[in-house]
Amino acid sequence: GAGVSQTPSNKVTEKGKYVELRCDPISGHTALYWYRQSLGQGPEFLIYFQGTGAADDSGLPNDRFFAVRPEGSVSTLKIQRTERGDSAVYLCASSSVGGEQFFGPGTRLTVL
Amino acid sequence: AQSVAQPEDQVNVAEGNPLTVKCTYSVSGNPYLFWYVQYPNRGLQFLLKYITGDNLVKGSYGFEAEFNKSQTSFHLKKPSALVSDSALYFCAVTLSGYSTLTFGKGTMLLVSP
């Protein structure tokens, strides 16, 4: 079956702009996770959804970052007033109850 | 707080030789441990996990890992390396199977022909 998909695969924007990154999880997976991977580092947790609600958003770095999952499937990560330090690969993962996380290919965000 | 250490930035091994990629962890409670592999321009792929039971866990592509509670380690191993195993390997830990993962910084494995 289809895996986790993320769009766009690459996003280049200018400092101060707003961006939206989309994640389509594996069908039937109730849990959805966002991570951020900077160059030379492992992925770092941002936010975790159980169904439509954010079960844990403790990894969001500041209030410029926000994520939604209105129907319990697709999720959108939103970044306001982007900064150069936001440049990274944003990874999405989904899992079934008690299952391992399956990752998408990521969105590479570059803030100029 | 939980953490993972991968002490080697890079591991070099000749094709056909055994390989080991090291991982140690710190967590308050019983850990769930994972290995993922990342190929260039691709997402993380799940290799194997330890939840409970037998300390030796077998996973995809001939990889295995050994959980050692006293040494808080979960080293990844393979008896005979392939050039196609060259990739970036991440160890991760969580306190339950349905929670956020804490990753190490990754180890680049280079297998030479």
Side-chain angles (χ1 to χ4, degrees):
Chain A
V4 178
S5 62
Q6 293 185 246
T7 54
S9 56
N10 281 284
K11 177 69 177 179
V12 180
T13 190
E14 294 179 344
K15 180 176 179 295
K17 298 290 187 182
Y18 168 83
V19 297
E20 290 189 350
L21 312 179
R22 176 188 168 108
C23 172
D24 266 283
I26 292 172
S27 178
H29 280 187
T30 56
L32 186 146
Y33 309 79
W34 284 98
Y35 294 84
R36 178 167 70 174
Q37 186 176 16
S38 300
L39 195 63
Q41 301 296 319
E44 294 179 319
F45 164 71
L46 294 176
I47 186 169
Y48 152 50
F49 287 90
Q50 176 60 267
T52 60
D56 184 353
D57 64 358
S58 62
L60 294 177
N62 51 60
D63 60 6
R64 295 187 298 105
F65 289 74
F66 188 70
V68 296
R69 195 186 185 199
E71 297 179 356
S73 179
V74 170
S75 176
T76 304
L77 179 66
K78 308 180 181 193
I79 310 174
Q80 299 177 321
R81 304 182 305 279
T82 52
E83 300 177 357
R84 292 193 180 87
D86 298 335
S87 296
V89 176
Y90 289 81
L91 297 169
C92 176
S94 69
S95 73
S96 58
V97 177
E100 62 267 17
Q101 295 177 33
F102 292 88
F103 283 80
T107 294
R108 182 176 298 278
L109 175 66
T110 303
V111 182
L112 300 177
Chain B
Q2 53 201 42
S3 64
V4 173
Q6 293 182 243
E8 304 151 317
D9 290 336
Q10 184 168 307
V11 170
N12 297 296
V13 64
E15 187 172 35
N17 284 358
L19 70 87
T20 299
V21 182
K22 295 179 180 177
C23 170
T24 58
Y25 65 91
S26 174
V27 68
S28 300
N30 293 319
Y32 286 48
L33 293 156
F34 301 81
W35 276 101
Y36 284 84
V37 59
Q38 188 173 41
Y39 296 98
N41 300 316
R42 294 173 65 179
L44 291 163
Q45 295 179 31
F46 169 77
L47 274 181
L48 51 79
K49 65 182 178 184
Y50 171 82
I51 304 298
T52 187
D54 193 348
N55 289 343
L56 185 64
V57 178
K58 294 187 183 297
S60 307
Y61 312 118
F63 284 93
E64 57 190 29
E66 186 166 13
F67 172 65
N68 187 315
K69 188 172 183 177
S70 63
Q71 297 185 4
T72 62
S73 67
F74 189 56
H75 300 331
L76 182 70
K77 301 182 180 186
K78 187 174 182 181
S80 178
L82 300 172
V83 172
S84 58
D85 293 331
S86 298
L88 188 56
Y89 290 79
F90 290 96
C91 181
V93 67
T94 187
L95 272 176
S96 74
Y98 202 34
S99 185
T100 64
L101 294 170
T102 298
F103 285 87
K105 63 181 174 66
T107 298
M108 178 64 71
L109 173 66
L110 293 176
V111 182
S112 55

